[in-house]
Amino acid sequence: RFSPTSQYSPRLSPEPENIPWVMNAGGNVILIGGFSGRDLDPEIIDPAYQWLEANSFLDRAIIYIGDETNDFERVRGKSLTIRKRWPGLRIMVGGSKPRKELIGYVDVWDPITAGGDVYNFEAQSTREAQDRGEEVFWYTCIGPRWPYANIYNDHPLTAIRALWWQAWKYQVTGFEYWWFNWWRSNNDLAKGDEPWPLSRTREWNSRSFDWANGDGLLVYPGPEGKALPSIRLSVIRDAIEDWEALFILERTLEVARESGVSGELIGKAENWLQVPEAITVDLTHWESDPEVYLSARSEVLGLIGDLYEKLGRTRVDKHIRAWVDRHQEFLQESFQKRVAKVKGSDQ
């Protein structure tokens, strides 16, 4: 459920030969990364853009041009160049909430869940950006620390489930994670020593940073270099499925209302979609008891099943597909208006 992309290396990712497989397997992001700390490079971007356009993947493509920066003038300059030369690329800035200095220049915002004033997530500006047809992802990276939910080894696994319930609460539609396999502290060993797990004398060091045990380590190196998933990675999968279950419940509720269904079933569905305070109140108050999340998932799926039985699954599935198509059209039309505005300013 993670698109294997590289936001810090100046390249197209996944590799072009792997993109069709990744997209068929459920990936939904293709990234031209590595341009947050350097100038745009046409020698890299031109062939990537041409390949994406020729293979009909341009609508999935994002170019990453800023990372935890307050150099808004530089971001605007890069954005104007992209709008003119590579108009099909959506522009993403990591480490920035939607800000007035960049409105019209950014298509995908990516604030940290909590951080400095430049970087931190903000509910109001997120809603306004979504109304404009922009997307808002968020991320964790080394921070934030407790009591915010994160995916450190030192946090309970319920923090991961809470993070995606919070994402639903604020209608965040993407999660960006800075590194998948930060094995550097285990691979950069003294000359003559063997890297873990071959070494018989060296224990695995899971502290990528002093206070961030396990951060950037969602997979571990197994035999012959095969990546082994962490328990946390499997819980991230479960958490994403929580979000998806709520999405399906909301779409199913829309069909129920159109059909005049009322009563206790509707009230229960509305309660879950608003995210009960028993699960999370805000970004620093969330439930740590795993039974709460297991019970919540069971109840949400039960409601979906009950409503499917009343409405007919075929009808609901058709509505979901139509809703997704309309939403994608809205995002695309909004994106094209932002591009056209820049092109029109040159005339």
Side-chain angles (χ1 to χ4, degrees), residues 1-3 20-29 60:
R1 291 177 178 273
F2 268 116
S3 296
W21 181 88
V22 170
M23 295 297 105
N24 288 334
N28 55 15
V29 172
R60 310 271 188 100

Side-chain angles (χ1 to χ4, degrees), residues 113-128:
T113 54
D117 181 61
V118 175
Y119 318 134
N120 64 299
F121 171 79
E122 187 179 78
Q124 180 62 32
S125 63
T126 290
R127 286 192 294 270
E128 293 169 356

Side-chain angles (χ1 to χ4, degrees), residues 161 165 242 272 279 289-303:
R161 299 292 285 266
W165 277 86
D242 286 343
W272 284 114
I279 293 179
D289 181 359
E291 290 300 325
V292 171
Y293 297 92
L294 296 174
S295 176
R297 168 77 77 87
S298 178
E299 290 197 37
V300 168
L301 294 180
L303 284 169

